[in-house]
């Protein structure tokens, strides 16, 4: 009986993680149009791997370059930004309401060259519920303050002139 309960619990956890990872991602453009990206659409993007340290814990991660995600959603140019596009920011919004942002020009390889990753796996496993199904990691950040967990929405906004 004990083995049955353990096996059932593991199956239930695996089902929860896989259902959670299938949640769509909402991406809003600067004009307010919202695009919904399914997990299947995200899986068409190239995968990125890396390593990071947060709160004295080192881990590996896998996910998608934020620029590729924005291109897939078709919400804004992400390379060779000009004029008013230089006032654009990307806001990462978590399920708990926590949010952070990065200037789009910081992601442009010809300007800032920073990389933000929409992570869906850490140490070879799907993200646990308290961090997933997706989180943002901004490479090069000394503190993980912008590493929003449980990302449910990305918003591209224009800052006022």
């Amino acid at each position: 009986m004990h083995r049955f309960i353990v096996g059932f619990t593991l199956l239930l956890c695996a089902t929860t993680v896989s259902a959670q990872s299938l949640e769509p991602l909402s991406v809003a453009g600067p004009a307010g149009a919202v695009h919904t990206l399914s997990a299947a659409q995200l899986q068409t993007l190239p995968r990125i791997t890396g390593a990071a340290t947060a709160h004295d814990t080192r881990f590996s991660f896998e996910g998608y370059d934020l620029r590729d995600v924005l291109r897939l959603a078709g919400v804004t140019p992400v390379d060779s930004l000009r004029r008013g596009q230089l006032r654009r920011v990307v806001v990462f919004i978590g399920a708990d309401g926590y949010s952070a942002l990065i200037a789009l020009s910081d992601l442009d390889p010809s300007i800032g060259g920073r990389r933000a990753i929409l992570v869906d796996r850490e140490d070879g496993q799907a993200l646990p519920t308290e961090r997933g199904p997706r989180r943002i990691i901004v490479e090069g950040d000394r503190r993980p303050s912008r590493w929003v967990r449980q990302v449910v929405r990305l918003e591209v906004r224009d800052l006022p002139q």
Side-chain angles (χ1 to χ4, degrees):
M1 181 67 164
H2 177 70
R3 287 184 188 174
F4 172 76
I5 292 171
V6 170
F8 181 74
T9 303
L10 290 174
L11 177 63
L12 184 59
C13 289
T15 303
T16 302
V17 169
S18 95
Q20 178 189 32
S21 64
L22 296 178
E23 292 179 19
L25 177 67
S26 174
V27 184
V34 178
H35 305 270
T36 302
L37 298 178
S38 69
Q41 288 173 300
L42 289 170
Q43 289 170 357
T44 65
L45 298 174
R47 300 282 293 169
I48 291 176
T49 60
T53 303
H55 309 293
D56 298 322
T57 303
R58 185 133 178 99
F59 57 92
S60 64
F61 63 80
E62 299 173 40
Y64 309 102
D65 188 312
L66 183 62
R67 291 178 303 146
D68 291 336
V69 173
L70 295 174
R71 273 190 208 100
L72 181 64
V75 296
T76 187
V78 294
D79 299 310
S80 301
L81 300 175
R82 303 269 190 261
R83 312 186 83 150
Q85 296 167 338
L86 295 171
R87 293 184 291 111
R88 289 198 172 146
V89 297
V90 182
V91 182
F92 321 122
I93 302 169
D96 61 358
Y98 185 80
S99 63
L101 62 82
I102 190 167
L104 196 57
S105 59
D106 284 343
L107 300 175
D108 183 332
S110 68
I111 301 172
R114 300 287 302 270
R115 196 162 74 162
I117 297 94
L118 183 65
V119 172
D120 60 2
R121 299 181 67 77
E122 288 179 2
D123 292 331
Q125 304 292 319
L127 292 176
T129 303
E130 67 271 7
R131 286 195 305 277
R134 299 175 189 97
R135 75 184 288 194
I136 289 288
I137 290 180
V138 180
E139 289 186 331
D141 278 4
R142 293 186 181 150
R143 284 189 312 146
S145 300
R146 294 191 291 183
W147 297 11
V148 176
R149 63 180 183 225
Q150 298 177 327
V151 172
V152 293
R153 185 174 172 92
L154 302 173
E155 292 183 3
V156 178
R157 299 180 187 168
D158 285 331
L159 295 177
Q161 292 184 11

